[in-house]
Amino acid sequence: MSYIFNNPDIILKLLWEHIVLAIGALLIATVIAIPLGYYIHGKQKLTTVVLGILGTLYTIPSLVLMILLLPLFGLNATTVVVALVIYCQIILVRNVIAGLDAIEPGIMEAAQGMGMTRAQQFTQIQLPLILPVLIAGMRLSVVVATAIATVGAMFGAGGLGTLLFNGISQGRFDKIISGSLTVSLLAIVFNLSLQYLEKRLGKPLS
Amino acid sequence: MSTIRFEKVVKEFAGMVRPALNGIDLTVDSGQFIVLLGPSGCGKTTLLKMVNRLHEPTSGDILIDDQSIYNGMDVIHLRRKIGYVIQQTGLFPHMTVEENISIVPNLMKWPEEKTKSRVDELLDMVALPPNEFRERYPAQMSGGQQQRVGVARALAGDPDLILMDEPFGAIDAITRTDLQDSLLKLQRQLRKTILFVTHDVDEALRLADKIAILREGQLVQYGTPLQILTQPNDDFVSELVGADDIVRQLGQIRVETIMEPLLDGGPIKQTIYQDESLRVALSDLVKSKQDFLTVVDSGKQPLGTITYDNIRNSVG
């Protein structure tokens, strides 16, 4: 613990790197997952295939996935972010589809019947209605990303993993403990804040 | 002004034995309240949804004001000019009452002030005090209130034509009667062309200027409630509407549909509201020991008279 208080500048720098990795990956993953989920929603076969592939990717151990991506993106943060984006896809796409499925058919029929274009139906009706479910997915995703980003330190992405790996090689338990604590705390903060958002957005619906 | 003409409309769905609609010819005059009535699977909802092109016909044509809705008419534009009410209300749960009603005005890019005053006007019209209901979410209202908002939303863009797909189907009997009364009153002021789908015979008889009865994709009869009750085309219609039960008939026909219009002032005797049924009129006649009743509107203005003879001649 005392390591944290004695080296706030190091901790803050690594913490910031870690946040950028996790949030950056989350945002990129969300931007990909929304159109992907929207497109495959309602297409049974395609949905099964896409979710199958994403589910399989999710089972690849993080170290292995990053090593596989290494030749493509090099020894830097990009490799790590790409890996995190891939892990988040299954969670997010699945939630986008579940959210769209949960919208009462009458609501979409009304929207269509009143003369909304497809784009207006999406931005004004579907997106706001799936938001609570989407944010639940983002919450899980960012926690997963926060955990896995720790491994990123081995690939030159920085972050709080640096403390862990340094600690292990130097036999410095204070570093290991400080790193673990900070990562855990970060994950908890992400989780709580998105949970709050999720609840607030879900309110008028029930 | 909005007339609708269905011309030889056929709709086939893939994998179905018989066509959902098999050559429907039907003309709806402007300002009329038309009920499409029939058992489930008769094609009434399909027919309705063709007017705003949620379904496209396999063959045939539909004309609004003598203009085909398929030739050169933009489907989005068409839909914005037609009010649409559906059974489960289809209200958007994440939007307030005000936002729900503002949908079409916003799509049509009305100025904000105009939309705002329109929302209040409509809420008044459907008997929901604006100050109390404007900011509510659908989940904070009863089913009946929600459907009032549904009706207000359909009227928002001031369309000449309104489609209603079993709007009161999921609502309890007492509230349903309430909503029917309000709709009748509203229609008396607004004179929209309304196409209303139901499988509820009583509802059809109560509301319709004319009823179109469908069976297995075909139009079996098209006429006023009175014609349908007193001159059913065949056994199917007769059974569907219960035409041989005179007391029931009396309970379904509105006084105003058979009254004799008031020619001169004349003496005003006991009054009866124009939307009351013949059954009530008969009962009032017997009780009051009068020869006739004076029919009045909601403002107590006399509209006509009704006698024993009128009632006797009206029923089969």
Side-chain angles (χ1 to χ4, degrees):
Chain A
M1 274 300 268
S2 57
Y3 182 84
I4 297 179
F5 297 112
N6 295 336
N7 304 279
D9 46 337
I10 295 176
I11 292 284
L12 280 179
K13 174 179 164 282
L14 295 177
L15 179 64
W16 177 245
E17 287 171 359
H18 210 98
I19 291 174
V20 171
L21 278 178
I23 297 285
L26 175 72
L27 293 181
I28 296 170
T30 308
V31 168
I32 296 171
I34 292 173
L36 181 57
Y38 179 79
Y39 180 73
I40 67 176
H41 162 249
K43 302 182 177 103
Q44 281 277 307
K45 276 187 191 157
L46 191 59
T47 302
T48 314
V49 171
V50 172
L51 289 184
I53 293 170
L54 294 178
T56 310
L57 287 172
Y58 191 74
T59 63
I60 303 174
S62 47
L63 205 58
V64 177
L65 183 61
M66 287 180 200
I67 289 169
L68 288 172
L69 292 171
L70 210 57
L72 294 173
F73 301 103
L75 197 63
N76 54 46
T78 312
T79 299
V80 178
V81 170
V82 172
L84 296 180
V85 168
I86 289 173
Y87 282 124
C88 293
Q89 279 313 299
I90 182 70
I91 305 169
L92 292 171
V93 173
R94 210 171 40 196
N95 278 33
V96 168
I97 291 174
L100 291 172
D101 278 343
I103 299 177
E104 235 185 277
I107 290 174
M108 294 322 295
E109 198 195 300
Q112 200 188 347
M114 290 166 75
M116 285 191 170
T117 62
R118 289 273 229 139
Q120 286 162 340
Q121 287 172 39
F122 179 70
T123 54
Q124 294 182 34
I125 311 295
Q126 288 169 309
L127 189 59
L129 283 179
I130 68 168
L131 216 50
V133 187
L134 178 64
I135 289 179
M138 291 172 75
R139 181 160 66 85
L140 186 55
S141 295
V142 81
V143 171
V144 167
T146 305
I148 295 177
T150 320
V151 183
M154 289 180 79
F155 297 84
L160 291 161
T162 313
L163 273 182
L164 298 180
F165 291 117
N166 283 350
I168 291 168
S169 59
Q170 298 162 0
R172 290 274 302 273
F173 281 102
D174 57 339
K175 281 193 181 181
I176 297 176
I177 289 170
S178 309
S180 325
L181 269 179
T182 319
V183 170
S184 312
L185 214 64
L186 181 61
I188 290 169
V189 168
F190 278 147
N191 190 39
L192 287 178
S193 40
L194 282 170
Q195 205 164 39
Y196 172 75
L197 204 62
E198 193 184 322
K199 272 197 186 133
R200 275 204 50 169
L201 288 168
K203 222 176 211 170
L205 308 182
S206 55
Chain B
M1 293 291 110
S2 248
T3 62
I4 314 170
R5 210 159 74 236
F6 297 90
E7 286 183 347
K8 299 189 179 59
V9 171
V10 175
K11 176 67 181 180
E12 287 163 358
F13 286 110
M16 268 177 51
V17 191
R18 59 166 180 82
L21 291 167
N22 201 352
I24 300 287
D25 283 301
L26 185 70
T27 302
V28 174
D29 293 332
S30 186
Q32 286 215 301
F33 195 130
I34 304 301
V35 172
L36 304 175
L37 176 68
S40 52
C42 71
K44 55 192 189 298
T45 298
T46 308
L47 190 65
L48 183 89
K49 289 184 184 173
M50 280 183 175
V51 179
N52 63 358
R53 294 184 60 178
L54 292 174
H55 290 311
E56 304 279 334
T58 310
S59 67
D61 200 358
I62 298 172
L63 301 99
I64 295 181
D65 293 331
D66 297 320
Q67 214 195 332
S68 168
I69 61 173
Y70 301 104
N71 290 338
M73 200 185 285
D74 174 42
V75 61
I76 296 291
H77 182 70
L78 172 80
R79 287 172 181 163
R80 288 177 190 176
K81 288 199 338 191
I82 299 177
Y84 190 39
V85 187
I86 63 172
Q87 178 171 355
Q88 316 88 325
T89 78
L91 291 183
F92 304 134
H94 59 299
M95 293 185 185
T96 61
V97 165
E98 175 168 23
E99 289 165 337
N100 265 290
I101 298 177
S102 307
I103 293 276
V104 171
N106 286 342
L107 290 174
M108 301 205 295
K109 307 218 176 347
W110 285 15
E112 204 175 311
E113 277 309 304
K114 186 179 170 194
T115 304
K116 255 191 144 54
S117 62
R118 179 73 179 152
V119 168
D120 286 1
E121 182 191 346
L122 286 162
L123 282 174
D124 276 329
M125 227 184 252
V126 297
L128 298 172
N131 285 332
E132 194 181 330
F133 284 93
R134 214 185 282 126
E135 305 297 326
R136 285 210 200 172
Y137 286 95
Q140 298 166 326
M141 295 186 294
S142 71
Q145 291 167 338
Q146 287 184 24
Q147 200 50 286
R148 284 174 189 273
V149 176
V151 171
R153 186 174 70 171
L155 291 170
D158 204 16
D160 292 325
L161 171 60
I162 296 168
L163 307 177
M164 306 183 96
D165 185 8
E166 305 212 26
F168 310 144
I171 286 166
D172 69 89
I174 296 172
T175 314
R176 196 186 313 149
T177 311
D178 241 32
L179 287 168
Q180 290 166 353
D181 284 341
S182 308
L183 187 59
L184 272 179
K185 262 190 209 141
L186 212 58
Q187 170 64 355
R188 196 158 286 134
Q189 294 168 37
L190 301 175
R191 286 284 156 209
K192 305 283 186 187
T193 306
I194 299 179
L195 272 187
F196 185 108
V197 163
T198 186
H199 61 258
D200 179 343
V201 178
D202 293 345
E203 183 167 70
L205 292 170
R206 250 172 81 82
L207 295 175
D209 291 324
K210 274 171 124 180
I211 300 177
I213 296 183
L214 286 106
R215 182 198 188 190
E216 293 182 354
Q218 276 170 327
L219 183 65
V220 200
Q221 188 165 2
Y222 183 41
T224 64
L226 204 60
Q227 283 168 346
I228 287 193
L229 278 170
T230 55
Q231 305 148 34
N233 270 357
D234 58 15
D235 288 349
F236 170 76
V237 175
S238 174
E239 252 170 65
L240 181 75
V241 300
D244 49 1
D245 183 344
I246 304 268
V247 176
R248 183 185 142 84
Q249 287 186 28
L250 291 176
Q252 300 309 329
I253 302 170
R254 276 178 278 137
V255 168
E256 63 164 356
T257 60
I258 66 152
M259 70 179 181
E260 283 176 33
L262 209 59
L263 296 177
D264 44 35
I268 290 181
K269 297 210 179 166
Q270 179 157 346
T271 60
I272 183 165
Y273 179 50
Q274 63 188 126
D275 281 347
E276 286 293 0
S277 69
L278 294 188
R279 211 172 109 178
V280 175
L282 190 61
S283 156
D284 284 2
L285 276 170
V286 172
K287 264 192 287 183
S288 66
K289 301 192 170 64
Q290 306 275 5
D291 308 329
F292 69 89
L293 300 173
T294 302
V295 182
V296 295
D297 65 13
S298 52
K300 302 265 184 250
Q301 287 302 308
L303 299 169
T305 58
I306 186 162
T307 63
Y308 282 112
D309 279 349
N310 295 143
I311 297 177
R312 190 181 318 121
N313 295 336
S314 73
V315 290

